[in-house]
Amino acid sequence: MYIAGLFYAPYPHWKTLRTFALVQLREDGMGKSALEPQIMEEIQLFIDHFIEPNHSQPINIGDSLAGATSNIISQLLFHRRFDYDDSENIKVANAVGRAAQLATRYGLVTNIPFHRILFRPLHVEVKQNSEFISTRLKAILDEQRRNLDSDHPQGLMDNFLINSKTEEGQANYCLAG
């Protein structure tokens, strides 16, 4: 499974995708105060779920903050949020955090000759983590496709799916699976 997206798409398609993403994000309120109510709602849910119950106890804010951040991004992309107690969402948030750590480590060793042999456990973990995240994202995208209402798009993904139907070939570079 391969999701090219903005970062790995070939040049002409990369430029089209970048333009689409920037225009859509601006229309959805990025850089304006239109996103403020969603962010404030997520902050309130975060406080209610993590801060209030643990008022006089130490809190590991790193893990809980990752869930809040992923919910804000999820609202932009899919127009939905995930429950903080959802075990699948917790696994995905942890996998994304781990992917950031692995990307730093793996990026440092890729210039070493025979890095895939010398650092095999790291390479295997990067691949497994990437496959887990891709599988979960593919499931969410399949659900988005099934529930797509072309007359009332919600979120960046709905707009992208509608736009990719009209522009032949673009979706093949982005959502190949």
Side-chain angles (χ1 to χ4, degrees), residues 4 29 47 68 73 109 117 125 138 147:
I47 290 170
I73 293 169
V109 300
I117 296 168
E125 188 178 359
K138 186 169 182 345
N147 300 331

Side-chain angles (χ1 to χ4, degrees), residues 2-41:
Y2 179 73
I3 299 176
L6 285 175
F7 298 108
Y8 300 110
Y11 171 70
H13 301 287
W14 170 85
K15 190 172 182 181
T16 304
L17 289 170
R18 179 182 175 276
T19 303
F20 169 79
L22 290 174
V23 167
Q24 261 332 113
L25 287 171
R26 265 190 234 117
E27 285 179 11
D28 290 344
M30 183 65 80
K32 301 175 188 166
S33 60
L35 294 175
E36 187 177 342
Q38 292 174 332
I39 294 170
M40 294 304 292
E41 178 186 2

Side-chain angles (χ1 to χ4, degrees), residues 72-165:
I72 291 171
I73 293 169
S74 176
Q75 285 182 30
L76 273 171
L77 293 176
F78 309 116
H79 201 270
R80 67 185 257 202
R81 64 176 306 281
F82 299 96
D83 189 36
Y84 288 125
D85 295 326
D86 179 14
S87 62
E88 195 65 28
N89 187 42
I90 293 169
K91 288 178 190 174
V92 172
N94 290 339
V96 169
R98 184 68 181 143
Q101 292 173 347
L102 291 172
T104 304
R105 289 183 189 166
Y106 197 67
L108 292 172
V109 300
T110 55
N111 292 325
I112 298 173
F114 309 110
H115 71 276
R116 288 192 176 175
I117 296 168
L118 295 172
F119 299 98
R120 179 124 181 97
L122 180 63
H123 178 69
V124 168
E125 188 178 359
V126 166
K127 187 175 180 178
Q128 289 173 342
N129 201 40
S130 175
E131 287 173 355
F132 174 76
I133 294 169
S134 294
T135 302
R136 181 65 180 133
L137 284 176
K138 186 169 182 345
I140 292 171
L141 287 171
D142 289 344
E143 184 181 334
Q144 286 287 126
R145 279 189 188 115
R146 282 192 305 275
N147 300 331
L148 182 64
D149 181 4
S150 298
D151 296 328
H152 301 96
Q154 298 179 335
L156 185 68
M157 269 301 126
D158 281 359
N159 287 317
F160 176 79
L161 291 171
I162 292 166
N163 190 45
S164 64
K165 285 181 183 178

Side-chain angles (χ1 to χ4, degrees), residues 46 50 59-70 84 90 93-94:
F46 177 79
F50 292 108
I59 302 170
N60 181 359
I61 196 130
D63 295 339
S64 56
L65 202 53
T69 305
S70 71
Y84 288 125
I90 293 169
N94 290 339

